[in-house]
Amino acid sequence: MNPAFLREAIRLSLEKMAANEGGPFGAVVVKDGQVVGRGWNRVTSTNDPTAHAEVVAIRDACARLKTFSLAGCELYSSCEPCPLCLAAIYWARLDRVYYAATCDDAAEAGFDDRNFYRELAKPVGERAIPVGQALRDEALVALRAWAEKEDRIRY
């Protein structure tokens, strides 16, 4: 763990929050000791509820490296990743995550990610947002075609 990268994430969180670009969160993606992606919370400035610091940093790193896999990279975040960001971290195949503030610290500031963690732990039928499933057979056509597609790019 390199504290300089964690400090850069914290610096971004403070600078961009002060500029009214979003909430107090920053993140950087590091590969071979170099920052290859930077992100800060842009939810309110872009009207995008998925524009969390970690997601923005992942998008930036993938664009710069021209890849959808960040295997071999680490992510440094000013705060413990929420479930959305954690899922993006897994999809990006990052090797490791370091964070500064905890989800409890974020809750004290008004960001209670614990509610989302609790929701995801519930069976689908017990979650606050109703979810329905239909047309499975029709959707399976695309999934089977993907499985048979010889020139598909696996991820």
Side-chain angles (χ1 to χ4, degrees), residues 78-96:
S78 65
C79 191
E80 184 175 357
C82 74
L84 168 78
C85 295
L86 191 57
I89 287 163
Y90 276 95
W91 275 112
R93 309 294 194 251
L94 285 150
D95 288 0
R96 185 175 296 253

Side-chain angles (χ1 to χ4, degrees), residues 11-22:
R11 184 194 70 74
L12 285 168
S13 73
L14 287 164
E15 176 185 309
K16 301 304 183 175
M17 176 202 52
N20 291 322
E21 292 195 26

Side-chain angles (χ1 to χ4, degrees), residues 48-103:
D48 179 355
T50 69
H52 291 202
E54 296 90 338
V55 172
V56 172
I58 288 168
R59 291 173 181 164
D60 186 41
C62 288
R64 289 175 188 266
L65 298 175
K66 297 179 177 23
T67 182
F68 55 82
S69 174
L70 296 178
C73 297
E74 300 174 330
L75 184 132
Y76 289 78
S77 180
S78 65
C79 191
E80 184 175 357
C82 74
L84 168 78
C85 295
L86 191 57
I89 287 163
Y90 276 95
W91 275 112
R93 309 294 194 251
L94 285 150
D95 288 0
R96 185 175 296 253
V97 175
Y98 299 103
Y99 62 88
T102 68
C103 68

Side-chain angles (χ1 to χ4, degrees), residues 75-146:
L75 184 132
Y76 289 78
S77 180
S78 65
C79 191
E80 184 175 357
C82 74
L84 168 78
C85 295
L86 191 57
I89 287 163
Y90 276 95
W91 275 112
R93 309 294 194 251
L94 285 150
D95 288 0
R96 185 175 296 253
V97 175
Y98 299 103
Y99 62 88
T102 68
C103 68
D104 292 328
D105 299 326
E108 287 182 29
F111 300 93
D112 198 357
D113 301 342
R114 292 174 298 190
N115 289 332
F116 297 118
Y117 279 109
R118 282 192 287 271
E119 276 295 303
L120 292 173
K122 293 178 184 177
V124 173
E126 295 177 21
R127 293 182 185 159
I129 297 176
V131 176
Q133 192 248 337
L135 304 177
R136 178 175 179 252
D137 291 338
E138 292 178 34
L140 287 176
V141 172
L143 292 173
R144 289 181 181 130
W146 170 260

